[in-house]
Amino acid sequence: MEYTKKIILEDGREYLGRAFGADTERVLEIVFNTSMVGYQEILSDPSYTGQAVVMTYPLIGNYGMAAADYETETPSIGAFIVREYNDTPSNFRAEKTLGEVMKEYGIPGISGVDTREITRSIRDLGSRKVLITSAETTLEEGLKKLRETDIPRDSVSAVSRKKTVVYPAWNERFRVVAIDCGMKQNIVRSLNERGCTVMVVPWNTPAETIFAASPDGVFISNGPGDPTDVPETIATIRKIMGRLPLFGICLGHQIISLAAGAKTYKLKFGHRGGNHPVRNLITGKIEITSQNHSYAVDPESLKNTCLRATHINLLDDTIEGVACWEKDVFSVQYHPESAPGPRDSGYLFDRFTDMMEGGEKTHA
């Protein structure tokens, strides 16, 4: 077996493998994802900007890529690290291979590495910088590049839409302004299905512009990076809170919490995958959820805000949802719009429409 690609970690570990996708070198943050399906949605989720994703499921690429399944038009993931890459997909919907799409968007990939060992390393030592490079790069050269290269912190501005886009619902009941911090397209689909015409606006749209649109509610999306890197968005949400129904997902959850006066912190290796159990504190039910985030809300800091925890992660007791019913505000850390699944949490979009309609605020 001829090795053509290599990854080098900050602690000096290196792994040789075979290249697929784009032939390019990058310094990224290494993370892992435990999903068994959905690599196309992962590839096209803007929240993975600047990250090299290790897929724990061993076979990737076997069902190809379909145009209808993208979460964004321009994938911005940093890289894919997989055990086995399949370049001959068997799926009647497939239009391109994963490698072809990655090459088209300049995304490197490496296969044939021990993804189990790498995942254990991330769990033990945490997410950290990784160099995706040629097999000829020496360890000394690689470590030097890792030391000298910083991972950009302006990811939200890079992936957010630059202009307002409207997605009409054929059965319009509500008009929603969605603040795009790196929004997945299935969020728009989920809102459209419930009669919401969605006006998607850039991440730094001021509150006055949103109020001028006279929406029935405001949504704030998922996205990449540290929530404290977008003070403009936090300031906008602070002005909106209490004046319009407000729903946030993932990064949007963190931004709502910061706007209310809470704090966030970075997790050791984050939550990524479609199999995270979350307890709904209102009903006591357990939801299996899809997740993708590096940061969490500090539970102690919530005590000084109007927000209260509504959901808890059963793996590590981190906050997975908050609400301030008096101000028509709620958010979740996980992804109720998850595609391809699980779909345990789709009721949250119904809660948002009920809130805009003036219905019961605390229903499950």
Side-chain angles (χ1 to χ4, degrees), residues 242-282:
R243 297 182 63 181
L244 287 168
L246 182 61
F247 176 29
I249 288 175
C250 200
L251 184 70
H253 159 79
Q254 298 159 13
I255 289 173
I256 284 173
S257 299
L258 290 168
K263 297 179 180 179
T264 56
Y265 64 97
K266 189 169 187 180
L267 296 166
K268 184 177 181 180
F269 49 80
H271 299 159
R272 294 173 183 86
N275 44 18
H276 287 255
V278 167
R279 183 187 298 279
N280 183 324
L281 298 178
I282 299 171

mmCIF file of all heavy atoms in Angstrom, residues 242-282:
data_model
loop_
_atom_site.group_PDB
_atom_site.id
_atom_site.type_symbol
_atom_site.label_atom_id
_atom_site.label_comp_id
_atom_site.label_asym_id
_atom_site.label_seq_id
_atom_site.Cartn_x
_atom_site.Cartn_y
_atom_site.Cartn_z
ATOM 1 N N GLY A 242 -37.532 39.535 24.532
ATOM 2 C CA GLY A 242 -38.656 40.133 25.243
ATOM 3 C C GLY A 242 -39.574 40.943 24.360
ATOM 4 O O GLY A 242 -40.664 41.326 24.798
ATOM 5 N N ARG A 243 -39.156 41.175 23.114
ATOM 6 C CA ARG A 243 -39.989 41.963 22.201
ATOM 7 C C ARG A 243 -40.610 41.113 21.089
ATOM 8 O O ARG A 243 -41.668 41.468 20.566
ATOM 9 C CB ARG A 243 -39.162 43.099 21.595
ATOM 10 C CG ARG A 243 -38.663 44.085 22.633
ATOM 11 C CD ARG A 243 -37.883 45.232 22.015
ATOM 12 N NE ARG A 243 -38.697 46.039 21.118
ATOM 13 C CZ ARG A 243 -38.231 47.092 20.444
ATOM 14 N NH1 ARG A 243 -36.949 47.451 20.589
ATOM 15 N NH2 ARG A 243 -39.019 47.778 19.643
ATOM 16 N N LEU A 244 -39.926 39.998 20.740
ATOM 17 C CA LEU A 244 -40.444 39.084 19.734
ATOM 18 C C LEU A 244 -40.158 37.654 20.179
ATOM 19 O O LEU A 244 -39.149 37.408 20.851
ATOM 20 C CB LEU A 244 -39.771 39.324 18.370
ATOM 21 C CG LEU A 244 -40.160 40.570 17.589
ATOM 22 C CD1 LEU A 244 -39.197 40.776 16.429
ATOM 23 C CD2 LEU A 244 -41.596 40.454 17.059
ATOM 24 N N PRO A 245 -41.003 36.684 19.829
ATOM 25 C CA PRO A 245 -40.669 35.291 20.114
ATOM 26 C C PRO A 245 -39.314 34.938 19.503
ATOM 27 O O PRO A 245 -39.032 35.305 18.352
ATOM 28 C CB PRO A 245 -41.806 34.518 19.445
ATOM 29 C CG PRO A 245 -42.957 35.471 19.452
ATOM 30 C CD PRO A 245 -42.341 36.832 19.215
ATOM 31 N N LEU A 246 -38.507 34.207 20.267
ATOM 32 C CA LEU A 246 -37.119 33.970 19.879
ATOM 33 C C LEU A 246 -36.757 32.510 20.110
ATOM 34 O O LEU A 246 -36.968 31.968 21.190
ATOM 35 C CB LEU A 246 -36.205 34.878 20.706
ATOM 36 C CG LEU A 246 -34.697 34.845 20.455
ATOM 37 C CD1 LEU A 246 -34.395 35.258 19.017
ATOM 38 C CD2 LEU A 246 -33.999 35.805 21.423
ATOM 39 N N PHE A 247 -36.202 31.872 19.078
ATOM 40 C CA PHE A 247 -35.824 30.458 19.110
ATOM 41 C C PHE A 247 -34.405 30.326 18.562
ATOM 42 O O PHE A 247 -34.087 30.880 17.510
ATOM 43 C CB PHE A 247 -36.817 29.655 18.262
ATOM 44 C CG PHE A 247 -36.515 28.189 18.110
ATOM 45 C CD1 PHE A 247 -35.831 27.465 19.080
ATOM 46 C CD2 PHE A 247 -36.952 27.511 16.973
ATOM 47 C CE1 PHE A 247 -35.579 26.110 18.927
ATOM 48 C CE2 PHE A 247 -36.725 26.153 16.816
ATOM 49 C CZ PHE A 247 -36.019 25.451 17.786
ATOM 50 N N GLY A 248 -33.537 29.603 19.285
ATOM 51 C CA GLY A 248 -32.166 29.416 18.842
ATOM 52 C C GLY A 248 -31.746 27.960 18.869
ATOM 53 O O GLY A 248 -32.214 27.185 19.703
ATOM 54 N N ILE A 249 -30.857 27.592 17.958
ATOM 55 C CA ILE A 249 -30.316 26.237 17.871
ATOM 56 C C ILE A 249 -28.791 26.303 17.869
ATOM 57 O O ILE A 249 -28.203 27.099 17.129
ATOM 58 C CB ILE A 249 -30.818 25.522 16.601
ATOM 59 C CG1 ILE A 249 -32.304 25.165 16.723
ATOM 60 C CG2 ILE A 249 -30.011 24.266 16.308
ATOM 61 C CD1 ILE A 249 -32.898 24.564 15.454
ATOM 62 N N CYS A 250 -28.154 25.477 18.696
ATOM 63 C CA CYS A 250 -26.707 25.280 18.715
ATOM 64 C C CYS A 250 -25.964 26.595 19.018
ATOM 65 O O CYS A 250 -26.038 27.094 20.119
ATOM 66 C CB CYS A 250 -26.241 24.636 17.413
ATOM 67 S SG CYS A 250 -24.622 23.840 17.551
ATOM 68 N N LEU A 251 -25.248 27.178 18.053
ATOM 69 C CA LEU A 251 -24.596 28.463 18.308
ATOM 70 C C LEU A 251 -25.632 29.504 18.717
ATOM 71 O O LEU A 251 -25.367 30.355 19.570
ATOM 72 C CB LEU A 251 -23.832 28.929 17.067
ATOM 73 C CG LEU A 251 -23.029 30.222 17.238
ATOM 74 C CD1 LEU A 251 -21.829 30.019 18.156
ATOM 75 C CD2 LEU A 251 -22.562 30.754 15.878
ATOM 76 N N GLY A 252 -26.826 29.425 18.120
ATOM 77 C CA GLY A 252 -27.903 30.334 18.501
ATOM 78 C C GLY A 252 -28.294 30.192 19.956
ATOM 79 O O GLY A 252 -28.627 31.176 20.630
ATOM 80 N N HIS A 253 -28.256 28.966 20.474
ATOM 81 C CA HIS A 253 -28.514 28.700 21.895
ATOM 82 C C HIS A 253 -27.472 29.393 22.763
ATOM 83 O O HIS A 253 -27.787 30.024 23.781
ATOM 84 C CB HIS A 253 -28.501 27.187 22.100
ATOM 85 C CG HIS A 253 -28.265 26.727 23.496
ATOM 86 N ND1 HIS A 253 -29.242 26.726 24.471
ATOM 87 C CD2 HIS A 253 -27.139 26.226 24.092
ATOM 88 C CE1 HIS A 253 -28.740 26.244 25.602
ATOM 89 N NE2 HIS A 253 -27.475 25.946 25.395
ATOM 90 N N GLN A 254 -26.216 29.285 22.361
ATOM 91 C CA GLN A 254 -25.138 29.907 23.122
ATOM 92 C C GLN A 254 -25.235 31.428 23.077
ATOM 93 O O GLN A 254 -25.023 32.112 24.094
ATOM 94 C CB GLN A 254 -23.792 29.441 22.570
ATOM 95 C CG GLN A 254 -23.570 27.938 22.688
ATOM 96 C CD GLN A 254 -22.529 27.418 21.727
ATOM 97 O OE1 GLN A 254 -21.779 28.170 21.121
ATOM 98 N NE2 GLN A 254 -22.490 26.096 21.546
ATOM 99 N N ILE A 255 -25.585 31.971 21.919
ATOM 100 C CA ILE A 255 -25.703 33.430 21.777
ATOM 101 C C ILE A 255 -26.855 33.963 22.609
ATOM 102 O O ILE A 255 -26.734 35.016 23.269
ATOM 103 C CB ILE A 255 -25.857 33.796 20.285
ATOM 104 C CG1 ILE A 255 -24.531 33.559 19.557
ATOM 105 C CG2 ILE A 255 -26.312 35.242 20.118
ATOM 106 C CD1 ILE A 255 -24.613 33.717 18.057
ATOM 107 N N ILE A 256 -27.984 33.269 22.627
ATOM 108 C CA ILE A 256 -29.114 33.678 23.474
ATOM 109 C C ILE A 256 -28.693 33.684 24.940
ATOM 110 O O ILE A 256 -29.007 34.614 25.694
ATOM 111 C CB ILE A 256 -30.314 32.744 23.243
ATOM 112 C CG1 ILE A 256 -30.990 33.086 21.914
ATOM 113 C CG2 ILE A 256 -31.327 32.844 24.393
ATOM 114 C CD1 ILE A 256 -32.093 32.127 21.511
ATOM 115 N N SER A 257 -27.967 32.669 25.357
ATOM 116 C CA SER A 257 -27.514 32.583 26.751
ATOM 117 C C SER A 257 -26.569 33.730 27.092
ATOM 118 O O SER A 257 -26.686 34.340 28.165
ATOM 119 C CB SER A 257 -26.832 31.229 26.989
ATOM 120 O OG SER A 257 -27.734 30.165 26.767
ATOM 121 N N LEU A 258 -25.646 34.035 26.196
ATOM 122 C CA LEU A 258 -24.727 35.158 26.423
ATOM 123 C C LEU A 258 -25.477 36.482 26.461
ATOM 124 O O LEU A 258 -25.177 37.358 27.286
ATOM 125 C CB LEU A 258 -23.655 35.183 25.333
ATOM 126 C CG LEU A 258 -22.619 34.056 25.375
ATOM 127 C CD1 LEU A 258 -21.809 34.029 24.079
ATOM 128 C CD2 LEU A 258 -21.682 34.233 26.572
ATOM 129 N N ALA A 259 -26.461 36.638 25.577
ATOM 130 C CA ALA A 259 -27.247 37.884 25.551
ATOM 131 C C ALA A 259 -28.030 38.078 26.841
ATOM 132 O O ALA A 259 -28.270 39.214 27.273
ATOM 133 C CB ALA A 259 -28.198 37.866 24.355
ATOM 134 N N ALA A 260 -28.408 36.968 27.489
ATOM 135 C CA ALA A 260 -29.160 37.050 28.748
ATOM 136 C C ALA A 260 -28.260 37.254 29.957
ATOM 137 O O ALA A 260 -28.761 37.464 31.069
ATOM 138 C CB ALA A 260 -29.987 35.780 28.935
ATOM 139 N N GLY A 261 -26.936 37.165 29.755
ATOM 140 C CA GLY A 261 -26.002 37.386 30.858
ATOM 141 C C GLY A 261 -25.283 36.152 31.350
ATOM 142 O O GLY A 261 -24.506 36.225 32.305
ATOM 143 N N ALA A 262 -25.510 34.994 30.716
ATOM 144 C CA ALA A 262 -24.812 33.765 31.105
ATOM 145 C C ALA A 262 -23.430 33.722 30.462
ATOM 146 O O ALA A 262 -23.038 34.619 29.714
ATOM 147 C CB ALA A 262 -25.633 32.538 30.693
ATOM 148 N N LYS A 263 -22.685 32.657 30.755
ATOM 149 C CA LYS A 263 -21.341 32.473 30.203
ATOM 150 C C LYS A 263 -21.266 31.127 29.483
ATOM 151 O O LYS A 263 -22.049 30.222 29.745
ATOM 152 C CB LYS A 263 -20.292 32.530 31.315
ATOM 153 C CG LYS A 263 -20.226 33.869 32.033
ATOM 154 C CD LYS A 263 -19.186 33.837 33.146
ATOM 155 C CE LYS A 263 -19.123 35.167 33.870
ATOM 156 N NZ LYS A 263 -18.130 35.142 34.980
ATOM 157 N N THR A 264 -20.292 31.019 28.580
ATOM 158 C CA THR A 264 -20.040 29.763 27.882
ATOM 159 C C THR A 264 -18.597 29.329 28.106
ATOM 160 O O THR A 264 -17.752 30.129 28.498
ATOM 161 C CB THR A 264 -20.298 29.895 26.371
ATOM 162 O OG1 THR A 264 -19.490 30.960 25.847
ATOM 163 C CG2 THR A 264 -21.760 30.195 26.092
ATOM 164 N N TYR A 265 -18.326 28.058 27.857
ATOM 165 C CA TYR A 265 -16.968 27.529 27.997
ATOM 166 C C TYR A 265 -16.754 26.459 26.931
ATOM 167 O O TYR A 265 -17.715 25.887 26.396
ATOM 168 C CB TYR A 265 -16.742 26.939 29.384
ATOM 169 C CG TYR A 265 -17.607 25.733 29.702
ATOM 170 C CD1 TYR A 265 -17.121 24.440 29.552
ATOM 171 C CD2 TYR A 265 -18.928 25.893 30.138
ATOM 172 C CE1 TYR A 265 -17.920 23.339 29.836
ATOM 173 C CE2 TYR A 265 -19.733 24.795 30.418
ATOM 174 C CZ TYR A 265 -19.218 23.522 30.277
ATOM 175 O OH TYR A 265 -20.008 22.427 30.545
ATOM 176 N N LYS A 266 -15.478 26.177 26.612
ATOM 177 C CA LYS A 266 -15.169 25.182 25.592
ATOM 178 C C LYS A 266 -15.086 23.799 26.212
ATOM 179 O O LYS A 266 -14.443 23.600 27.244
ATOM 180 C CB LYS A 266 -13.863 25.511 24.876
ATOM 181 C CG LYS A 266 -13.620 24.606 23.661
ATOM 182 C CD LYS A 266 -12.481 25.087 22.791
ATOM 183 C CE LYS A 266 -12.406 24.232 21.522
ATOM 184 N NZ LYS A 266 -11.319 24.644 20.623
ATOM 185 N N LEU A 267 -15.742 22.830 25.566
ATOM 186 C CA LEU A 267 -15.699 21.442 25.998
ATOM 187 C C LEU A 267 -14.374 20.807 25.577
ATOM 188 O O LEU A 267 -13.713 21.267 24.637
ATOM 189 C CB LEU A 267 -16.855 20.661 25.375
ATOM 190 C CG LEU A 267 -18.264 21.103 25.787
ATOM 191 C CD1 LEU A 267 -19.295 20.496 24.845
ATOM 192 C CD2 LEU A 267 -18.545 20.693 27.219
ATOM 193 N N LYS A 268 -13.994 19.736 26.260
ATOM 194 C CA LYS A 268 -12.718 19.078 25.977
ATOM 195 C C LYS A 268 -12.656 18.576 24.543
ATOM 196 O O LYS A 268 -11.676 18.795 23.836
ATOM 197 C CB LYS A 268 -12.503 17.920 26.958
ATOM 198 C CG LYS A 268 -11.153 17.233 26.808
ATOM 199 C CD LYS A 268 -10.985 16.148 27.864
ATOM 200 C CE LYS A 268 -9.628 15.467 27.743
ATOM 201 N NZ LYS A 268 -9.450 14.405 28.763
ATOM 202 N N PHE A 269 -13.722 17.887 24.093
ATOM 203 C CA PHE A 269 -13.738 17.391 22.714
ATOM 204 C C PHE A 269 -15.093 17.571 22.039
ATOM 205 O O PHE A 269 -15.301 17.083 20.939
ATOM 206 C CB PHE A 269 -13.310 15.915 22.648
ATOM 207 C CG PHE A 269 -14.015 15.013 23.630
ATOM 208 C CD1 PHE A 269 -15.285 14.538 23.371
ATOM 209 C CD2 PHE A 269 -13.397 14.652 24.814
ATOM 210 C CE1 PHE A 269 -15.932 13.712 24.263
ATOM 211 C CE2 PHE A 269 -14.029 13.812 25.721
ATOM 212 C CZ PHE A 269 -15.304 13.340 25.450
ATOM 213 N N GLY A 270 -16.018 18.251 22.682
ATOM 214 C CA GLY A 270 -17.293 18.594 22.053
ATOM 215 C C GLY A 270 -18.239 17.418 21.906
ATOM 216 O O GLY A 270 -17.954 16.297 22.333
ATOM 217 N N HIS A 271 -19.381 17.696 21.298
ATOM 218 C CA HIS A 271 -20.410 16.691 21.011
ATOM 219 C C HIS A 271 -20.682 16.710 19.514
ATOM 220 O O HIS A 271 -21.079 17.737 18.975
ATOM 221 C CB HIS A 271 -21.715 17.015 21.738
ATOM 222 C CG HIS A 271 -21.614 17.041 23.221
ATOM 223 N ND1 HIS A 271 -22.523 17.710 24.011
ATOM 224 C CD2 HIS A 271 -20.718 16.476 24.070
ATOM 225 C CE1 HIS A 271 -22.192 17.554 25.285
ATOM 226 N NE2 HIS A 271 -21.099 16.819 25.339
ATOM 227 N N ARG A 272 -20.468 15.582 18.857
ATOM 228 C CA ARG A 272 -20.743 15.510 17.408
ATOM 229 C C ARG A 272 -21.225 14.115 17.057
ATOM 230 O O ARG A 272 -20.501 13.145 17.245
ATOM 231 C CB ARG A 272 -19.486 15.860 16.594
ATOM 232 C CG ARG A 272 -19.067 17.307 16.771
ATOM 233 C CD ARG A 272 -17.741 17.629 16.118
ATOM 234 N NE ARG A 272 -17.397 19.003 16.415
ATOM 235 C CZ ARG A 272 -16.759 19.387 17.529
ATOM 236 N NH1 ARG A 272 -16.389 18.492 18.424
ATOM 237 N NH2 ARG A 272 -16.500 20.654 17.739
ATOM 238 N N GLY A 273 -22.448 14.044 16.553
ATOM 239 C CA GLY A 273 -23.000 12.757 16.171
ATOM 240 C C GLY A 273 -24.500 12.738 16.312
ATOM 241 O O GLY A 273 -25.103 13.667 16.873
ATOM 242 N N GLY A 274 -25.135 11.659 15.827
ATOM 243 C CA GLY A 274 -26.583 11.571 15.842
ATOM 244 C C GLY A 274 -27.113 10.609 16.878
ATOM 245 O O GLY A 274 -28.137 9.965 16.635
ATOM 246 N N ASN A 275 -26.427 10.496 18.011
ATOM 247 C CA ASN A 275 -26.822 9.479 18.981
ATOM 248 C C ASN A 275 -26.624 9.932 20.428
ATOM 249 O O ASN A 275 -26.283 9.132 21.291
ATOM 250 C CB ASN A 275 -26.037 8.187 18.730
ATOM 251 C CG ASN A 275 -24.556 8.450 18.470
ATOM 252 O OD1 ASN A 275 -24.046 9.528 18.791
ATOM 253 N ND2 ASN A 275 -23.872 7.489 17.893
ATOM 254 N N HIS A 276 -26.825 11.224 20.699
ATOM 255 C CA HIS A 276 -26.626 11.757 22.045
ATOM 256 C C HIS A 276 -27.949 11.779 22.815
ATOM 257 O O HIS A 276 -28.904 12.428 22.373
ATOM 258 C CB HIS A 276 -26.042 13.173 21.988
ATOM 259 C CG HIS A 276 -24.607 13.208 21.589
ATOM 260 N ND1 HIS A 276 -23.595 13.449 22.482
ATOM 261 C CD2 HIS A 276 -23.997 13.008 20.385
ATOM 262 C CE1 HIS A 276 -22.427 13.409 21.857
ATOM 263 N NE2 HIS A 276 -22.651 13.141 20.583
ATOM 264 N N PRO A 277 -28.021 11.117 23.973
ATOM 265 C CA PRO A 277 -29.260 11.130 24.760
ATOM 266 C C PRO A 277 -29.403 12.411 25.573
ATOM 267 O O PRO A 277 -28.465 12.848 26.254
ATOM 268 C CB PRO A 277 -29.101 9.912 25.677
ATOM 269 C CG PRO A 277 -27.627 9.781 25.864
ATOM 270 C CD PRO A 277 -26.994 10.240 24.574
ATOM 271 N N VAL A 278 -30.575 13.010 25.511
ATOM 272 C CA VAL A 278 -30.862 14.262 26.214
ATOM 273 C C VAL A 278 -32.171 14.103 26.975
ATOM 274 O O VAL A 278 -33.163 13.624 26.413
ATOM 275 C CB VAL A 278 -30.964 15.439 25.215
ATOM 276 C CG1 VAL A 278 -31.563 16.669 25.881
ATOM 277 C CG2 VAL A 278 -29.590 15.762 24.636
ATOM 278 N N ARG A 279 -32.187 14.525 28.245
ATOM 279 C CA ARG A 279 -33.409 14.471 29.037
ATOM 280 C C ARG A 279 -34.156 15.802 28.955
ATOM 281 O O ARG A 279 -33.582 16.867 29.199
ATOM 282 C CB ARG A 279 -33.108 14.159 30.503
ATOM 283 C CG ARG A 279 -34.397 14.021 31.366
ATOM 284 C CD ARG A 279 -34.080 13.888 32.843
ATOM 285 N NE ARG A 279 -33.310 12.709 33.127
ATOM 286 C CZ ARG A 279 -33.815 11.481 33.262
ATOM 287 N NH1 ARG A 279 -35.116 11.288 33.138
ATOM 288 N NH2 ARG A 279 -33.032 10.453 33.522
ATOM 289 N N ASN A 280 -35.422 15.711 28.586
ATOM 290 C CA ASN A 280 -36.307 16.862 28.604
ATOM 291 C C ASN A 280 -36.776 17.041 30.049
ATOM 292 O O ASN A 280 -37.499 16.202 30.587
ATOM 293 C CB ASN A 280 -37.493 16.617 27.663
ATOM 294 C CG ASN A 280 -38.427 17.793 27.562
ATOM 295 O OD1 ASN A 280 -38.657 18.502 28.531
ATOM 296 N ND2 ASN A 280 -38.991 17.993 26.378
ATOM 297 N N LEU A 281 -36.354 18.121 30.704
ATOM 298 C CA LEU A 281 -36.670 18.325 32.114
ATOM 299 C C LEU A 281 -38.129 18.693 32.345
ATOM 300 O O LEU A 281 -38.609 18.619 33.482
ATOM 301 C CB LEU A 281 -35.755 19.407 32.692
ATOM 302 C CG LEU A 281 -34.256 19.096 32.668
ATOM 303 C CD1 LEU A 281 -33.464 20.264 33.228
ATOM 304 C CD2 LEU A 281 -33.953 17.816 33.428
ATOM 305 N N ILE A 282 -38.845 19.072 31.284
ATOM 306 C CA ILE A 282 -40.260 19.410 31.414
ATOM 307 C C ILE A 282 -41.105 18.140 31.460
ATOM 308 O O ILE A 282 -42.014 18.006 32.270
ATOM 309 C CB ILE A 282 -40.711 20.308 30.247
ATOM 310 C CG1 ILE A 282 -39.913 21.614 30.250
ATOM 311 C CG2 ILE A 282 -42.203 20.605 30.340
ATOM 312 C CD1 ILE A 282 -40.135 22.464 29.011
#
